[in-house]
């Protein structure tokens, strides 16, 4: 062994002079001293609770831990995360048929032959021309007819129940007898959203049309004017039109009638307001141009995707703007004419939300089809216009609002909801399968779980109802479409159109709404009064002029009076417990509905009790009516 130089020995001895003497090297001395000295303790890091839990599960249930780990690692996806490749264009054909190699790059040929039309300057010029042309379309649609002559699909002369006041004084006080109106298109598809009582009958989910079957075509005052005009054949349901209406006041015995796919019901007694159509009208520019507007805008979006082919984000903004203003001005206007101030008030937040949709999903998919303009047009534009026109394309689905009352009263609504949930679940599971390949499943799953917990908390807030509007549905589902696949492109087109339809047609309604907002004109579930006059106690031998009907006293102090409808007209308001029938026509049937009032405001009305001319009294059915 080689001797250690004295200088080194002296250096080593001086450097470890404070340690006990030994012949081992200095490093071994430090190790041995630190391990042998009982006063020196080396701190040990405590394992985290996750590691302790994993260790416990591994030791107690090794098989379960092994399988669960493989399952979680599989659905977690690769690490590090990866991007999916862009899809190859379907139409760039590369086939081997019976030993022959066929190459037909249709998309590439189309791109090469139309490259001269992709100049940004041409796009800017055509965009300016489109804006001017669209403005002229909108002007012809709404602004060549005086705004006072427009009415909506549910416009009437008479309001329901007590809306016209005692004896109908509010609605019968008309300062002229003839009115000219312009009706929009598609009014035959605008029904009652809640049941409406006419005499002892109830109408629901159909346009409200009463009468029209007599030779003069006389309708009751609360008939939807435009739907009746379609039924009478005076206007087209597809193009709308103008009509002239002559108000004639009292009329007796409204007869039912069926025509042009619409049916009315009869009302066999007197009503204080009725009207008929005149043969001509003084209005012009009456045709609704929404069909031409649709064709125009569809062609423009096809031109943008097929020929002009701007940058993907420019395509996206074109879809957002064209879809929004098409809904506002043509397919589903908020009113005749559409309130442009409200539309512009909604448009700015819609743009902010749309940019969010671009950031979370669409920017990952739409650019992937830059080399396939024909294919991208099919995947995006078809579903996009289905979503934009969801008031028509999804109209046959018997679901209007996701509330218990709506789902139970509409035939097939629950079945349709179950089918929709199953379809959405299948599509979501498929998207999760695709996302697994990228490694992003845990990230998105965490955000959706957090969102679900927030929604659950909101749904439990007292006094408010959680309502998932379809514009919110489009926003919620859009993030899980952010992968470059064809199905994702289809989903994005539809969800973008669905979002625009909800926002443009109905505004950005709150996700929380009060019961009154959801109820609209339906029954409120209040206490009901009780008729004391019934089929047993009514004495038909007494003349009608001497008859009086009776009802029970107030059930509690919450109520202070009663409101009585006779033949669907409010005839009494007060605290009395009876009503004389002396003013009624003995040769006609009569219908009686009674409600409790508080401060002059009525609660729910009973169903109708019926008194026939032969003296037969029919008791009201249980439950409330509107």
């Amino acid at each position: 062994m080689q001797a250690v130089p004295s200088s080194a020995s002296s250096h080593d001895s001086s450097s470890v002079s404070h340690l006990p003497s030994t012949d081992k090297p200095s490093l071994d001395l430090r190790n041995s001293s630190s391990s042998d000295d009982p006063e020196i303790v080396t701190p040990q890091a405590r394992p985290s609770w996750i590691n302790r839990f994993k260790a416990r599960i591994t030791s107690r249930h090794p098989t379960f831990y092994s399988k669960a780990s493989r399952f979680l690692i599989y659905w977690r996806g690769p690490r590090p995360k990866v991007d999916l490749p862009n899809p190859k264009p379907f139409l760039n054909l590369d086939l081997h048929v019976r030993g022959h190699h066929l190459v037909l790059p249709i998309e590439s040929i189309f791109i090469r032959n139309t490259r001269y039309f992709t100049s940004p300057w041409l796009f800017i010029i055509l965009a300016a021309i489109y804006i001017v042309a669209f403005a002229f379309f909108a002007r012809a649609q709404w602004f060549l007819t005086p705004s006072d002559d427009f009415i909506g699909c549910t416009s009437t002369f008479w309001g329901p129940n007590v809306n016209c006041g005692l004896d109908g004084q509010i609605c019968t006080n008309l300062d002229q007898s003839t009115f000219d109106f312009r009706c929009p298109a598609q009014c035959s598809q605008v029904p009652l959203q809640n049941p409406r009582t006419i005499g002892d009958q109830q109408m629901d989910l159909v346009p409200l049309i009463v009468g029209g079957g007599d030779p003069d075509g006389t309708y009751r005052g609360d008939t939807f004017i435009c739907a009746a005009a379609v039924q009478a054949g005076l206007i087209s349901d597809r193009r709308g039109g103008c009509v002239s209406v002559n108000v004639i006041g009292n009329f007796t015995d409204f007869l039912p009638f069926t025509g042009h796919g619409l049916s009315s019901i009869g009302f066999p007694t007197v009503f204080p307001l009725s009207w008929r159509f005149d043969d001509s009208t003084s209005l012009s520019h009456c045709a609704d141009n929404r069909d031409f507007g649709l064709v125009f805008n569809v062609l423009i979006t096809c031109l943008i995707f097929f020929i002009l082919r701007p940058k993907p984000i420019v395509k996206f903004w074109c879809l957002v703007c064209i879809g929004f203003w098409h809904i506002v001005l043509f397919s589903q206007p908020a009113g005749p004419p559409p309130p442009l101030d409200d539309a512009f008030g909604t448009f700015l937040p819609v743009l902010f939300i749309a940019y969010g949709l671009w950031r979370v999903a669409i920017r990952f998919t739409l650019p992937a089809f830059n080399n396939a303009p024909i294919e991208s047009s099919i995947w995006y534009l078809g579903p996009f216009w289905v979503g934009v026109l969801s008031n028509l394309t999804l109209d046959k689905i018997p679901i209007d609002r996701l509330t218990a009352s709506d789902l139970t009263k509409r035939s097939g609504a629950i079945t349709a909801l179950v089918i929709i949930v199953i379809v959405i679940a299948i599509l979501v599971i498929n998207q999760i399968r695709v996302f697994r390949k990228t490694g992003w499943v845990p990230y998105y799953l965490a955000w959706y779980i957090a969102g679900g917990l927030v929604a659950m908390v909101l749904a439990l807030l007292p006094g408010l109802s959680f309502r998932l509007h379809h514009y919110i549905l489009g926003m919620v589902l859009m993030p899980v479409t952010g992968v470059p696949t064809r199905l994702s492109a289809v989903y994005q087109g539809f969800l973008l159109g669905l979002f625009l339809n909800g926002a443009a047609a109905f505004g950005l309604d709150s996700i929380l709404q009060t019961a009154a907002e959801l109820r609209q004109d339906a029954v409120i579930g209040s206490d009901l009064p009780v008729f004391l006059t019934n089929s047993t106690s009514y004495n038909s031998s007494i003349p009608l002029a001497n008859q009086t009907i009776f009802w029970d006293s107030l059930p509690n102090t919450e109520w202070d009076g009663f409101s009585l409808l006779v033949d669907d007209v409010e005839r009494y308001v007060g605290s009395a417990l009876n009503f004389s029938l002396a003013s009624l026509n003995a040769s006609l049937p009569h219908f009686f509905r009674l409600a409790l009032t508080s401060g002059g405001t009525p609660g729910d009305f009973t169903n109708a009790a019926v008194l026939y001319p032969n003296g037969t009294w029919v008791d009201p059915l249980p439950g409330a009516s509107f």
Side-chain angles (χ1 to χ4, degrees), residues 153-156 158-161 186-198 201-210 220 222-225 227 262-265 395 399-401 406 409-410 519-522 626:
C153 291
T154 60
S155 296
T156 67
W158 188 278
N161 292 346
Q186 300 169 357
C187 282
S188 68
Q189 303 173 42
V190 181
L192 290 164
Q193 293 298 321
N194 291 300
R196 184 76 59 84
T197 300
I198 307 297
Q201 305 178 73
Q202 282 198 341
M203 302 184 69
D204 190 17
L205 303 176
V206 294
L208 177 58
I209 309 176
V210 183
R220 208 174 86 158
D222 53 355
T223 293
F224 290 175
I225 297 171
L262 294 174
S263 296
S264 64
I265 67 170
D395 181 60
I399 298 176
D400 177 58
R401 296 171 297 183
D406 270 26
K409 78 179 183 180
R410 300 194 67 170
R519 185 176 62 246
Q520 297 176 348
D521 60 357
F626 187 88

Side-chain angles (χ1 to χ4, degrees), residues 570-591:
E570 188 177 42
R571 295 299 185 183
Y572 175 75
V573 179
S575 58
L577 301 178
N578 58 75
F579 178 76
S580 172
L581 306 185
S583 62
L584 302 184
N585 189 331
S587 64
L588 297 174
H590 298 286
F591 308 92

Side-chain angles (χ1 to χ4, degrees), residues 321-402:
C321 295
I322 292 174
F324 181 89
W325 289 107
H326 178 83
I327 296 166
V328 167
L329 294 172
F330 289 98
S331 68
Q332 209 170 350
L340 296 182
D341 53 344
D342 292 342
F344 277 103
T346 304
F347 186 51
L348 183 60
V350 163
L351 293 180
F352 278 99
I353 297 172
Y355 181 69
L357 300 180
W358 166 264
R359 293 292 302 175
V360 301
I362 298 178
R363 68 187 177 108
F364 302 116
T365 309
L366 183 57
F369 294 92
N370 278 344
N371 295 327
I374 301 175
E375 192 176 335
S376 67
S377 302
I378 296 172
W379 303 139
Y380 271 96
L381 296 185
F384 172 76
W385 284 108
V386 170
V388 166
L389 303 175
S390 58
N391 60 309
L392 300 177
T393 56
L394 307 181
D395 181 60
K396 300 303 180 182
I397 298 176
I399 298 176
D400 177 58
R401 296 171 297 183
L402 289 177

Side-chain angles (χ1 to χ4, degrees), residues 144-151 179-183 241-245 280-287:
L144 295 180
T145 302
S147 59
D148 292 341
D149 292 324
F150 282 98
I151 58 173
F179 299 86
D180 290 315
F181 296 123
R182 177 176 168 181
C183 292
C242 296
V243 293
S244 183
V245 175
S280 60
T281 177
S282 61
L283 298 179
S284 60
H285 303 93
C286 296

Side-chain angles (χ1 to χ4, degrees), residues 68-84:
S69 297
R70 288 197 300 269
F71 176 82
L72 294 176
I73 291 173
Y74 174 80
W75 284 106
R76 183 196 66 181
R79 288 294 181 273
K81 302 180 182 72
V82 298
D83 294 329
L84 295 181

Side-chain angles (χ1 to χ4, degrees), residues 65 99 123 131 147 187 249 285 326 410 427 453 496 528:
Y65 179 79
F123 177 83
I131 293 173
S147 59
C187 282
H285 303 93
H326 178 83
R410 300 194 67 170
L427 298 180
L453 293 175
L496 180 61
L528 292 175

Side-chain angles (χ1 to χ4, degrees), residues 553-607:
S553 58
L554 296 171
N556 52 60
T557 57
E558 178 184 352
W559 308 100
D560 56 20
F562 301 90
S563 173
L564 177 67
L565 299 180
V566 180
D567 301 331
D568 299 340
V569 180
E570 188 177 42
R571 295 299 185 183
Y572 175 75
V573 179
S575 58
L577 301 178
N578 58 75
F579 178 76
S580 172
L581 306 185
S583 62
L584 302 184
N585 189 331
S587 64
L588 297 174
H590 298 286
F591 308 92
F592 305 92
R593 291 190 288 145
L594 188 65
L596 301 169
T597 63
S598 176
T601 302
D604 290 334
F605 282 89
T606 64
N607 280 304

